[in-house]
Amino acid sequence: MQQINTVVETETQLPLGWRERLSPSKLKSIPGRYNLPRMFSRSSTSNNTNSRSKQPLREPIPTRSIAALQTSFKITDTFKLLRTRRWSVLDVQQVILAGFTIFSIWIIEPTAPLIKTLAALGYLLLLFIPITRQFFLPSWPIWTYLLYFFSSRFIPYDIRPDIFVKVLPALEDILYGTNFSNFFSQWTHPVLDVFAWFPYGLGHFGLPAICSAIMFIFAAPGTVPMFAKSFGWMSVLGVSIQLFFPCTPPWYERLHGLEPAKYGMQGSPAGLARIDALFGVDMYTTSFTTAPVPFGAFPSLHAADAILEALFMSYCFPRLKALCTFYVFWICWATMYLNHHYAVDLLGGGIIAYLIFTLVKKFWLPRQQPEKMYRWEYDYVEIGDTKNKAVDEELGYGPILTGKRSIDMADEFTVLDSFMHSASSSGSSSPASSLRSDRSYRRVE
């Protein structure tokens, strides 16, 4: 009997440190298909650098609500935030945006130093007051684009490059062997006019706001700010190319042939004039005649915007890919039917949109979770598409190698507002949030 008791006592004695060795941070990483990151808290980094499976996971942070919005008017709070900020190379985007803003305000006529100084100070106040910064800063690329586009009319003619009249028709013949714009615009009909007017005259101005609202509700948190920055930076790049490489659109060739173009010449609504005549209103004649960039055929921002919207919507909602593809072809046909763009302009805009989307998707765009229907169902968000093929995802390395960034709902509310203003303006934002060196799960704050 004594021997039996001894055996029992021996079996119940566990080695010292057994609790630490059974801790999740000390165990081998769970395979990717079983990995539940929100179940584990952040663990201390292991000293064993040879094992990549021991990279720490991070505990998700609860979603921020509207009640968490900034209400402070103290500029000193912003300076305190700047002193403690971890700066990165990508913060140079703010310097570039500031340069575009200062340039746009400086060239606006009439010359009024006091008014321009007050406007610049107002711009700074919007950026430095916490209650306005949270709305203005995320959508800054869009506001910069709108200011840059409208102020470009004041750039002196004598410092602008020559206008290219023959380049685009020649490229059209080389690439396609025909002029698609002239081909599609040969036969016109009121029904075709209205059919082309929907995407070109309505969808182009309103669809960015509609897509933003849909992505805000149904896509992963943080998608809308990335879409806005992509839209804004793409538009700024497009307008810059149009200013440095001014080209005449198809309507100029129809009205003036291949005669040299001069700055100061009026633009033309081209096929949209038939819409004004059909409805008996001046929706496009005056605005296109006095357009800030009448010789901005290349690249086509109509095509670029549509393709960027289609790429984002197809990424967030794969079932809409066919509808998005149809819309892209629809607006591309409309631009040529209405005699506003050559096919090569559409190609240029599409390339720019695709490159920007690919870059954003790789480093900044949140990954969608198919089982989640609304943004409020997300407990955590993974960002980027930096998959390391050398690492077996079955070991759970894939999600760990993604970037981390906090998300504020205020970013997305202000984006919707900025798109509303953009829709009522011209009709034509890069991803540039800070990318931290430690890569892990992105959390919804």
Side-chain angles (χ1 to χ4, degrees):
M1 185 68 180
Q2 186 176 358
Q3 289 181 342
I4 294 176
N5 293 337
T6 304
V7 171
V8 171
E9 288 180 354
T10 303
E11 289 181 348
T12 57
Q13 291 179 357
L14 295 177
L16 295 176
W18 65 274
R19 294 178 181 273
E20 289 76 9
R21 285 198 289 272
L22 290 180
S23 174
S25 63
K26 301 296 182 181
L27 296 177
K28 188 176 181 180
S29 292
I30 302 174
R33 60 178 178 269
Y34 305 116
N35 197 354
L36 300 177
R38 58 180 176 272
M39 296 178 60
F40 302 104
S41 61
R42 181 173 182 174
S43 61
S44 58
T45 305
S46 175
N47 294 328
N48 184 7
T49 59
N50 295 328
S51 177
R52 301 182 67 177
S53 62
K54 295 185 179 180
Q55 294 190 22
L57 299 176
R58 287 166 170 77
E59 184 181 9
I61 299 175
T63 306
R64 280 175 116 182
S65 64
I66 302 223
L69 296 178
Q70 292 284 342
T71 58
S72 173
F73 287 88
K74 297 180 180 179
I75 299 180
T76 54
D77 293 344
T78 301
F79 285 108
K80 293 178 181 178
L81 181 64
L82 292 175
R83 284 197 299 266
T84 58
R85 178 178 174 81
R86 294 176 58 185
W87 299 95
S88 69
V89 177
L90 291 176
D91 288 317
V92 72
Q93 65 169 313
Q94 314 299 349
V95 179
I96 297 175
L97 289 176
F100 275 108
T101 302
I102 295 173
F103 171 77
S104 301
I105 295 176
W106 176 63
I107 63 174
I108 292 178
E109 294 181 359
T111 303
L114 180 60
I115 296 178
K116 293 182 179 181
T117 302
L118 292 176
L121 290 176
Y123 226 84
L124 290 175
L125 286 177
L126 290 174
L127 289 173
F128 280 92
I129 297 178
I131 195 171
T132 58
R133 184 192 70 239
Q134 62 186 339
F135 297 106
F136 190 71
L137 185 60
S139 58
W140 194 8
I142 298 178
W143 300 113
T144 301
Y145 151 65
L146 294 174
L147 180 62
Y148 181 43
F149 176 78
F150 284 113
S151 64
S152 61
R153 70 172 74 243
F154 299 107
I155 299 177
Y157 296 157
D158 55 350
I159 65 173
R160 296 193 186 191
D162 295 333
I163 302 172
F164 296 93
V165 178
K166 302 178 182 180
V167 172
L168 296 183
L171 288 175
E172 193 90 347
D173 292 334
I174 294 172
L175 294 176
Y176 310 110
T178 185
N179 190 320
F180 280 108
S181 181
N182 291 339
F183 174 78
F184 287 120
S185 61
Q186 285 180 1
W187 302 280
T188 61
H189 191 276
V191 175
L192 293 177
D193 292 341
V194 174
F195 187 67
W197 168 60
F198 273 108
Y200 192 89
L202 296 179
H204 172 70
F205 297 95
L207 203 58
I210 295 175
C211 291
S212 298
I214 294 174
M215 287 187 285
F216 174 78
I217 298 174
F218 299 103
T223 302
V224 175
M226 290 299 102
F227 172 65
K229 292 179 180 180
S230 302
F231 186 94
W233 278 105
M234 181 186 67
S235 300
V236 170
L237 177 61
V239 172
S240 299
I241 295 175
Q242 293 171 355
L243 293 176
F244 284 97
F245 183 60
C247 297
T248 55
W251 59 257
Y252 182 89
E253 183 181 0
R254 175 162 292 187
L255 294 177
H256 306 284
L258 297 179
E259 297 179 359
K262 297 180 180 179
Y263 291 107
M265 299 177 66
Q266 290 185 337
S268 171
L272 289 176
R274 300 193 295 270
I275 297 296
D276 287 354
L278 182 65
F279 294 105
V281 294
D282 184 2
M283 290 188 292
Y284 303 103
T285 301
T286 300
S287 60
F288 276 86
T289 301
T290 60
V293 189
F295 302 119
F298 183 90
S300 170
L301 288 180
H302 277 77
D305 293 351
I307 292 173
L308 186 71
E309 293 156 6
L311 290 171
F312 269 89
M313 292 295 288
S314 299
Y315 173 80
C316 297
F317 316 104
R319 293 182 179 180
L320 299 179
K321 185 175 296 184
L323 180 62
C324 294
T325 303
F326 169 76
Y327 177 76
V328 168
F329 280 99
W330 186 14
I331 195 171
C332 287
W333 166 81
T335 61
M336 294 183 287
Y337 172 79
L338 296 173
N339 224 217
H340 278 269
H341 286 288
Y342 294 100
V344 68
D345 305 335
L346 311 178
L347 178 63
I351 291 175
I352 294 174
Y354 178 78
L355 292 177
I356 289 180
F357 173 78
T358 302
L359 182 65
V360 173
K361 179 185 175 184
K362 184 175 180 64
F363 295 106
W364 297 286
L365 190 59
R367 300 186 196 176
Q368 308 302 307
Q369 299 178 14
E371 68 277 8
K372 303 294 194 305
M373 184 174 182
Y374 302 102
R375 58 172 287 119
W376 297 277
E377 297 179 3
Y378 281 76
D379 298 319
Y380 66 94
V381 177
E382 302 168 85
I383 65 168
D385 194 23
T386 55
K387 295 181 180 179
N388 189 347
K389 295 183 179 180
V391 180
D392 188 1
E393 280 193 356
E394 204 55 30
L395 297 178
Y397 294 130
I400 299 178
L401 294 177
T402 55
K404 170 201 170 187
R405 194 181 307 107
S406 62
I407 304 172
D408 195 337
M409 289 181 66
D411 294 2
E412 304 186 65
F413 282 116
T414 184
V415 164
L416 296 177
D417 179 67
S418 62
F419 271 124
M420 293 298 182
H421 286 79
S422 177
S424 62
S425 59
S426 66
S428 256
S429 254
S430 133
S433 296
S434 302
L435 181 64
R436 299 183 182 178
S437 56
D438 55 325
R439 295 186 172 183
S440 181
Y441 281 98
R442 177 180 187 174
R443 235 110 51 239
V444 185
E445 290 187 300

